[in-house]
Amino acid sequence: MRTLSNLLTIIAFGSFAQTVSALTVFACEPEYGAIAKAIAPDAQIFTATTHQQDPHHVQARPSLINRYRRADIGICAGAELEIGWLPMLQLRGNNPKLRDGQRTMIYASDVVELLDKRESVTRADGDVHAAGNPHIHLSPSRVILMAQHIGQVLSEIEPENRTTYLDNAAKFETELNAWIDANQSRIDRFNGTKFIGYHTSFRYLYEFIGAEQVGDLEPVPGSAPTPGHLASLIETVETHQPLAIVYTPYQDGRGASWLSDRTNIPSVELSYTVHENQSITELYESILSTLEHLANGTH
Ligand SMILES: [Zn+2]
């Protein structure tokens, strides 16, 4: 026979134990997979691209379309970052939950304020991000807003796990802010630093640490470095004395090496987004530690 206390235990666990999530998340880029995982660790999370893949250029292959079709929630950067491939997934995947305008199709560009919006764009501007720079995940305040928004949407579609999702979103914010507080002097060291970059991939990192990109290996956005353009950057390097020439794991490092050889400024592949199972905070730590090696001349 059950005792009263046993019964109470059963009732307590029956009412408060969280239900394991059956949600399936489709994240366009690894950073959104990492945020989703922090908020809903039990959900099935599929990430369409890896840290070594260019999120502007992805093949809408059948396996991606299948994943897209089965997802309950989609999380992408928006602002035309995925314009070359997401529309094809949406067309072929035909998933009503992940249609534009649905609450369950989340674009970061609808949630956070983007930098560098352009009023008018001509052909000569290249593949410029006219709707604003969509590479937002190296902005702590913006990823925190995304975590809160994802927590909110998940708790609407799975109210039984509302407390968990909102708690996890709060935890995400606390952890990231705690990392920043603990490392503020390491971060401040890079205030006023200059970089040569490749594309506008690290725009939000520069904003975060108070740095500036003084030259871009791309002659115009979306175009590979040309010999003439690279040669013109030699003068830029001499004028500004940047800390480094940086590029992401998915960008071609040859232009950066060429420029580095001629200017004695180091070129370095800088982590752009999370590796598998890496958290956003761990990504920030990895980037900061690479920058320190550069500044210390130990890279
Ligand atoms: Zn871009």
Side-chain angles (χ1 to χ4, degrees):
M1 212 175 93
R2 284 171 176 164
T3 64
L4 181 62
S5 93
N6 271 352
L7 254 180
L8 286 175
T9 311
I10 291 162
I11 292 164
F13 277 93
S15 16
F16 295 115
Q18 71 167 93
T19 318
V20 171
S21 174
L23 288 177
T24 303
V25 178
F26 181 97
C28 282
E29 290 84 24
E31 54 269 28
Y32 299 116
I35 301 173
K37 197 178 151 204
I39 309 299
D42 294 329
Q44 294 246 13
I45 297 162
F46 176 76
T47 302
T49 52
T50 73
H51 68 284
Q52 287 175 310
Q53 236 177 318
D54 183 347
H56 307 86
H57 303 288
V58 175
Q59 248 207 316
R61 52 185 199 278
S63 60
L64 269 191
I65 295 165
N66 273 333
R67 295 285 193 169
Y68 184 89
R69 186 176 289 136
R70 294 205 302 265
D72 300 302
I73 179 165
I75 312 172
C76 301
E80 303 191 343
L81 176 64
E82 301 96 354
I83 197 167
W85 54 282
L86 190 57
M88 183 63 86
L89 292 189
Q90 292 184 305
L91 186 72
R92 299 250 175 97
N94 192 25
N95 180 346
K97 293 177 186 169
L98 270 61
R99 267 190 208 132
D100 286 359
Q102 292 297 315
R103 186 90 172 133
T104 39
M105 184 65 216
I106 301 173
Y107 290 106
S109 58
D110 292 333
V111 177
V112 306
E113 189 62 37
L114 303 185
L115 296 174
D116 307 330
K117 287 185 187 170
R118 297 276 290 262
E119 290 288 305
S120 66
V121 177
T122 67
R123 207 164 243 237
D125 294 322
D127 285 338
V128 67
H129 293 303
N133 187 318
H135 305 279
I136 65 125
H137 63 283
L138 298 178
S139 162
S141 59
R142 289 177 177 83
V143 287
I144 286 168
L145 283 174
M146 273 303 279
Q148 287 168 346
H149 184 78
I150 292 166
Q152 189 58 46
V153 173
L154 287 176
S155 54
E156 286 164 24
I157 55 176
E158 228 180 43
E160 63 275 27
N161 285 330
R162 179 183 165 82
T163 313
T164 306
Y165 295 145
L166 298 184
D167 283 356
N168 285 345
K171 206 171 122 203
F172 180 93
E173 176 177 7
T174 308
E175 272 177 17
L176 186 49
N177 282 334
W179 179 84
I180 294 170
D181 286 346
N183 295 285
Q184 196 62 59
S185 60
R186 291 173 67 204
I187 297 164
D188 287 346
R189 177 182 182 183
F190 297 97
N191 192 21
T193 315
K194 294 168 177 178
F195 291 89
I196 299 276
Y198 195 129
H199 189 67
T200 51
S201 308
F202 293 109
R203 174 70 171 93
Y204 293 88
L205 171 70
Y206 303 138
E207 189 208 34
F208 169 39
I209 65 176
E212 183 192 356
Q213 178 161 301
V214 292
D216 192 333
L217 294 169
E218 290 184 327
V220 291
S223 300
T226 57
H229 179 65
L230 285 173
S232 77
L233 287 174
I234 294 176
E235 201 186 316
T236 311
V237 170
E238 279 159 6
T239 310
H240 293 284
Q241 292 299 309
L243 176 66
I245 304 154
V246 296
Y247 55 95
T248 72
Y250 64 80
Q251 288 159 340
D252 188 339
R254 284 176 296 180
S257 301
W258 184 93
L259 190 58
S260 173
D261 289 346
R262 278 151 192 84
T263 55
N264 276 327
I265 297 293
S267 70
V268 66
E269 182 186 288
L270 194 58
S271 286
Y272 166 74
T273 187
V274 293
H275 294 214
E276 212 164 327
N277 294 324
Q278 204 177 27
S279 71
I280 293 284
T281 304
E282 285 165 348
L283 169 67
Y284 282 39
E285 172 56 39
S286 138
I287 290 174
L288 183 58
S289 120
T290 304
L291 294 182
E292 285 176 328
H293 281 301
L294 282 167
N296 295 340
T298 53
H299 192 274

mmCIF file of all heavy atoms in Angstrom, residues 229-248:
data_model
loop_
_atom_site.group_PDB
_atom_site.id
_atom_site.type_symbol
_atom_site.label_atom_id
_atom_site.label_comp_id
_atom_site.label_asym_id
_atom_site.label_seq_id
_atom_site.Cartn_x
_atom_site.Cartn_y
_atom_site.Cartn_z
ATOM 1 N N HIS A 229 43.651 44.669 -56.553
ATOM 2 C CA HIS A 229 43.067 45.091 -55.280
ATOM 3 C C HIS A 229 44.009 44.758 -54.115
ATOM 4 O O HIS A 229 44.215 45.570 -53.213
ATOM 5 C CB HIS A 229 41.705 44.425 -55.096
ATOM 6 C CG HIS A 229 41.051 44.777 -53.798
ATOM 7 N ND1 HIS A 229 40.640 46.059 -53.499
ATOM 8 C CD2 HIS A 229 40.773 44.034 -52.698
ATOM 9 C CE1 HIS A 229 40.129 46.082 -52.282
ATOM 10 N NE2 HIS A 229 40.194 44.869 -51.772
ATOM 11 N N LEU A 230 44.589 43.565 -54.163
ATOM 12 C CA LEU A 230 45.523 43.166 -53.103
ATOM 13 C C LEU A 230 46.708 44.128 -53.052
ATOM 14 O O LEU A 230 47.126 44.549 -51.970
ATOM 15 C CB LEU A 230 46.022 41.733 -53.339
ATOM 16 C CG LEU A 230 45.024 40.621 -53.020
ATOM 17 C CD1 LEU A 230 45.585 39.265 -53.451
ATOM 18 C CD2 LEU A 230 44.691 40.602 -51.529
ATOM 19 N N ALA A 231 47.211 44.489 -54.247
ATOM 20 C CA ALA A 231 48.357 45.410 -54.294
ATOM 21 C C ALA A 231 47.991 46.748 -53.651
ATOM 22 O O ALA A 231 48.798 47.339 -52.923
ATOM 23 C CB ALA A 231 48.802 45.608 -55.739
ATOM 24 N N SER A 232 46.747 47.179 -53.882
ATOM 25 C CA SER A 232 46.327 48.466 -53.304
ATOM 26 C C SER A 232 46.233 48.395 -51.773
ATOM 27 O O SER A 232 46.316 49.409 -51.087
ATOM 28 C CB SER A 232 44.990 48.910 -53.895
ATOM 29 O OG SER A 232 43.929 48.180 -53.312
ATOM 30 N N LEU A 233 46.045 47.182 -51.250
ATOM 31 C CA LEU A 233 45.933 47.038 -49.787
ATOM 32 C C LEU A 233 47.285 47.160 -49.073
ATOM 33 O O LEU A 233 47.330 47.384 -47.864
ATOM 34 C CB LEU A 233 45.283 45.693 -49.439
ATOM 35 C CG LEU A 233 43.769 45.590 -49.719
ATOM 36 C CD1 LEU A 233 43.282 44.162 -49.465
ATOM 37 C CD2 LEU A 233 42.973 46.567 -48.852
ATOM 38 N N ILE A 234 48.377 47.029 -49.837
ATOM 39 C CA ILE A 234 49.708 47.167 -49.213
ATOM 40 C C ILE A 234 49.821 48.557 -48.581
ATOM 41 O O ILE A 234 50.248 48.699 -47.434
ATOM 42 C CB ILE A 234 50.835 46.937 -50.254
ATOM 43 C CG1 ILE A 234 50.813 45.477 -50.729
ATOM 44 C CG2 ILE A 234 52.210 47.277 -49.652
ATOM 45 C CD1 ILE A 234 51.818 45.149 -51.821
ATOM 46 N N GLU A 235 49.353 49.554 -49.317
ATOM 47 C CA GLU A 235 49.410 50.924 -48.796
ATOM 48 C C GLU A 235 48.493 51.086 -47.571
ATOM 49 O O GLU A 235 48.856 51.741 -46.598
ATOM 50 C CB GLU A 235 48.997 51.891 -49.899
ATOM 51 C CG GLU A 235 49.488 53.307 -49.657
ATOM 52 C CD GLU A 235 48.945 54.288 -50.684
ATOM 53 O OE1 GLU A 235 48.946 53.952 -51.897
ATOM 54 O OE2 GLU A 235 48.481 55.366 -50.264
ATOM 55 N N THR A 236 47.310 50.456 -47.651
ATOM 56 C CA THR A 236 46.378 50.512 -46.517
ATOM 57 C C THR A 236 47.045 49.942 -45.266
ATOM 58 O O THR A 236 46.935 50.505 -44.178
ATOM 59 C CB THR A 236 45.101 49.692 -46.837
ATOM 60 O OG1 THR A 236 44.631 50.087 -48.115
ATOM 61 C CG2 THR A 236 44.033 49.886 -45.800
ATOM 62 N N VAL A 237 47.732 48.818 -45.439
ATOM 63 C CA VAL A 237 48.414 48.188 -44.301
ATOM 64 C C VAL A 237 49.483 49.121 -43.764
ATOM 65 O O VAL A 237 49.603 49.332 -42.547
ATOM 66 C CB VAL A 237 49.025 46.829 -44.719
ATOM 67 C CG1 VAL A 237 49.931 46.288 -43.619
ATOM 68 C CG2 VAL A 237 47.933 45.821 -45.041
ATOM 69 N N GLU A 238 50.259 49.714 -44.673
ATOM 70 C CA GLU A 238 51.338 50.604 -44.217
ATOM 71 C C GLU A 238 50.800 51.828 -43.478
ATOM 72 O O GLU A 238 51.363 52.270 -42.486
ATOM 73 C CB GLU A 238 52.229 50.999 -45.400
ATOM 74 C CG GLU A 238 53.231 49.896 -45.700
ATOM 75 C CD GLU A 238 53.811 49.930 -47.105
ATOM 76 O OE1 GLU A 238 53.518 50.888 -47.851
ATOM 77 O OE2 GLU A 238 54.541 48.979 -47.453
ATOM 78 N N THR A 239 49.677 52.342 -43.965
ATOM 79 C CA THR A 239 49.078 53.516 -43.316
ATOM 80 C C THR A 239 48.515 53.166 -41.940
ATOM 81 O O THR A 239 48.717 53.891 -40.969
ATOM 82 C CB THR A 239 47.924 54.075 -44.181
ATOM 83 O OG1 THR A 239 48.406 54.228 -45.515
ATOM 84 C CG2 THR A 239 47.408 55.402 -43.665
ATOM 85 N N HIS A 240 47.766 52.054 -41.858
ATOM 86 C CA HIS A 240 46.995 51.777 -40.635
ATOM 87 C C HIS A 240 47.654 50.811 -39.664
ATOM 88 O O HIS A 240 47.234 50.713 -38.523
ATOM 89 C CB HIS A 240 45.610 51.228 -41.015
ATOM 90 C CG HIS A 240 44.733 52.223 -41.707
ATOM 91 N ND1 HIS A 240 44.110 53.240 -41.034
ATOM 92 C CD2 HIS A 240 44.405 52.381 -43.013
ATOM 93 C CE1 HIS A 240 43.407 53.976 -41.889
ATOM 94 N NE2 HIS A 240 43.574 53.473 -43.103
ATOM 95 N N GLN A 241 48.666 50.086 -40.121
ATOM 96 C CA GLN A 241 49.336 49.090 -39.262
ATOM 97 C C GLN A 241 48.336 48.212 -38.490
ATOM 98 O O GLN A 241 48.294 48.231 -37.249
ATOM 99 C CB GLN A 241 50.284 49.793 -38.277
ATOM 100 C CG GLN A 241 51.479 50.435 -38.967
ATOM 101 C CD GLN A 241 52.351 49.416 -39.701
ATOM 102 O OE1 GLN A 241 52.753 48.394 -39.134
ATOM 103 N NE2 GLN A 241 52.622 49.633 -40.993
ATOM 104 N N PRO A 242 47.523 47.444 -39.220
ATOM 105 C CA PRO A 242 46.544 46.585 -38.532
ATOM 106 C C PRO A 242 47.228 45.483 -37.720
ATOM 107 O O PRO A 242 48.387 45.151 -37.975
ATOM 108 C CB PRO A 242 45.738 45.982 -39.678
ATOM 109 C CG PRO A 242 46.618 46.057 -40.868
ATOM 110 C CD PRO A 242 47.467 47.279 -40.686
ATOM 111 N N LEU A 243 46.491 44.950 -36.767
ATOM 112 C CA LEU A 243 47.010 43.841 -35.953
ATOM 113 C C LEU A 243 47.183 42.583 -36.805
ATOM 114 O O LEU A 243 48.148 41.843 -36.649
ATOM 115 C CB LEU A 243 46.030 43.559 -34.794
ATOM 116 C CG LEU A 243 46.345 42.374 -33.892
ATOM 117 C CD1 LEU A 243 47.636 42.612 -33.104
ATOM 118 C CD2 LEU A 243 45.193 42.103 -32.924
ATOM 119 N N ALA A 244 46.238 42.358 -37.715
ATOM 120 C CA ALA A 244 46.289 41.135 -38.515
ATOM 121 C C ALA A 244 45.376 41.228 -39.730
ATOM 122 O O ALA A 244 44.529 42.124 -39.815
ATOM 123 C CB ALA A 244 45.863 39.939 -37.661
ATOM 124 N N ILE A 245 45.601 40.294 -40.632
ATOM 125 C CA ILE A 245 44.715 40.107 -41.775
ATOM 126 C C ILE A 245 43.927 38.835 -41.454
ATOM 127 O O ILE A 245 44.519 37.763 -41.320
ATOM 128 C CB ILE A 245 45.535 39.925 -43.067
ATOM 129 C CG1 ILE A 245 46.484 41.124 -43.255
ATOM 130 C CG2 ILE A 245 44.622 39.739 -44.274
ATOM 131 C CD1 ILE A 245 47.733 40.799 -44.068
ATOM 132 N N VAL A 246 42.639 38.971 -41.258
ATOM 133 C CA VAL A 246 41.852 37.821 -40.779
ATOM 134 C C VAL A 246 40.869 37.327 -41.843
ATOM 135 O O VAL A 246 40.376 38.105 -42.658
ATOM 136 C CB VAL A 246 41.083 38.145 -39.472
ATOM 137 C CG1 VAL A 246 42.049 38.440 -38.335
ATOM 138 C CG2 VAL A 246 40.116 39.306 -39.660
ATOM 139 N N TYR A 247 40.635 36.039 -41.797
ATOM 140 C CA TYR A 247 39.645 35.428 -42.683
ATOM 141 C C TYR A 247 39.015 34.254 -41.942
ATOM 142 O O TYR A 247 39.551 33.784 -40.939
ATOM 143 C CB TYR A 247 40.278 34.985 -44.017
ATOM 144 C CG TYR A 247 41.457 34.053 -43.870
ATOM 145 C CD1 TYR A 247 41.294 32.670 -43.950
ATOM 146 C CD2 TYR A 247 42.733 34.555 -43.610
ATOM 147 C CE1 TYR A 247 42.368 31.814 -43.792
ATOM 148 C CE2 TYR A 247 43.816 33.702 -43.441
ATOM 149 C CZ TYR A 247 43.634 32.340 -43.543
ATOM 150 O OH TYR A 247 44.691 31.492 -43.355
ATOM 151 N N THR A 248 37.861 33.807 -42.436
ATOM 152 C CA THR A 248 37.148 32.723 -41.759
ATOM 153 C C THR A 248 37.617 31.369 -42.299
ATOM 154 O O THR A 248 38.259 31.308 -43.354
ATOM 155 C CB THR A 248 35.623 32.815 -42.010
ATOM 156 O OG1 THR A 248 35.388 32.442 -43.374
ATOM 157 C CG2 THR A 248 35.082 34.216 -41.779
#
